[in-house]
Amino acid sequence: MTKATILILGGTQEARELAQVLAGQPAMNVITSLAGRTAVPHLPPGRIVQGGFGGIDGLVDFIADNHVTALIDATHPFAARMGMQAGLAADRAQVPLLRLERPAWTRQPDDRWDEVDDWDQAVIALKTNAQRILLAIGRQELAPFAGLDHLWFLIRSVERPDPMPPFSQCEFLAARGPFSVADETALLRAHAIDTIVCKNSGGTASAAKLVAARELGLRVVMLRRPARPVTETVTQIDQAVVWAIRVRSPAR
């Protein structure tokens, strides 16, 4: 039997776990694409492609050249550009597309969230009622906050920004989740944090900071998720496995 080839647009824990399961299916080849933003990524099983495809045309060509039979977009909830490219490429290549996306975090009764649509709104929100901020947004989008010279920032990301934006008052902490509530609480207290800035990434790896903020009564400035193409979407890995088995086709 000719194997089906599943292309996973990855970079998330869900993508790695999905690749692990699908790689164990005897009738499937698994290819995972990584954007290459992390120097030492956690690699899933199967073939790995790093660095992107060169836009929609490049992705369409890759699908054809590698006889990809189905596409699963399991990228980060904020990888909106890749999501748009996946939708257009799948349509042009005429292959089925599934979106695997972890559920968003939802506000709890004791949360003090200010939800914003972009970083400009977040900067405005920080100009009042904030002094010491945990900036937990990764290393790619720090620049909008560097002009807030009257504020102190604890910048946490997996890797150090290079170059580091010109913050006048900051400390950098290299760390990779998952984090425990106890550790997050200790971190927030040790640095006298009063505000957390983060994205609504969802999942469990970094949710502990929200629980700690709730228990300590801290403010959270939360970036809402961007819009993505309308496509079939699941939230659980086993649902994506069922989908992949269902659309599996031994012939092009």
Side-chain angles (χ1 to χ4, degrees), residues 73 75-77 99-103 225 228 233-236:
D73 176 11
T75 56
H76 193 276
R99 170 65 179 155
L100 171 60
E101 181 169 277
R102 69 187 73 148
R225 292 183 176 186
R228 299 186 77 103
T233 301
V234 297
T235 60
Q236 304 298 321

Side-chain angles (χ1 to χ4, degrees), residues 24-251:
Q25 296 286 326
M28 289 188 189
N29 290 319
V30 179
I31 305 172
T32 299
S33 168
L34 302 176
R37 292 185 177 180
T38 302
V40 187
H42 289 166
L43 297 179
R47 179 181 166 193
I48 307 298
V49 178
Q50 297 199 58
F53 301 97
I56 298 168
D57 290 342
L59 180 52
V60 171
D61 290 342
F62 184 91
I63 290 171
D65 293 343
N66 291 273
H67 307 290
V68 171
T69 52
L71 182 61
I72 299 178
D73 176 11
T75 56
H76 193 276
F78 283 83
R81 181 178 179 182
M82 190 67 248
M84 294 292 181
Q85 292 180 352
L88 293 171
D91 185 61
R92 282 176 49 183
Q94 296 186 325
V95 296
L97 169 66
L98 179 73
R99 170 65 179 155
L100 171 60
E101 181 169 277
R102 69 187 73 148
W105 293 318
T106 57
R107 185 195 301 263
Q108 303 301 307
D110 293 331
D111 285 330
R112 296 177 55 207
W113 288 9
D114 291 336
E115 295 183 87
V116 297
D117 293 316
D118 55 44
W119 292 137
D120 290 338
Q121 292 182 6
V123 167
I124 293 171
L126 291 181
K127 290 181 178 179
T128 58
N129 301 320
Q131 293 182 328
R132 297 178 64 85
I133 297 104
L134 170 61
L135 201 54
I137 63 173
R139 63 189 178 97
Q140 302 286 335
E141 302 171 77
L142 300 173
F145 301 93
L148 297 173
D149 294 338
H150 64 294
L151 302 177
W152 184 90
F153 292 91
L154 176 61
I155 299 170
R156 181 171 72 184
S157 63
V158 175
E159 298 174 1
R160 185 177 181 85
D162 184 20
M164 172 73 81
F167 285 87
S168 61
Q169 304 182 80
C170 74
E171 178 179 333
F172 174 73
L173 175 63
R176 186 196 297 267
F179 306 104
S180 70
V181 174
D183 287 345
E184 293 290 68
T185 300
L187 177 74
L188 296 171
R189 283 176 169 161
H191 293 278
I193 299 297
D194 57 61
T195 304
I196 297 172
V197 178
C198 63
K199 302 175 180 179
N200 195 331
S201 299
T204 59
S206 57
K209 64 178 174 288
L210 302 179
V211 178
R214 184 182 310 131
E215 293 177 351
L216 295 173
L218 305 184
R219 181 187 184 201
V220 176
V221 177
M222 177 84 71
L223 183 67
R224 296 185 181 96
R225 292 183 176 186
R228 299 186 77 103
V230 177
T231 189
E232 185 176 356
T233 301
V234 297
T235 60
Q236 304 298 321
I237 292 166
D238 58 351
Q239 295 172 319
V241 172
V242 170
W243 179 89
I245 293 172
R246 174 167 56 85
V247 303
R248 180 175 60 203
S249 175

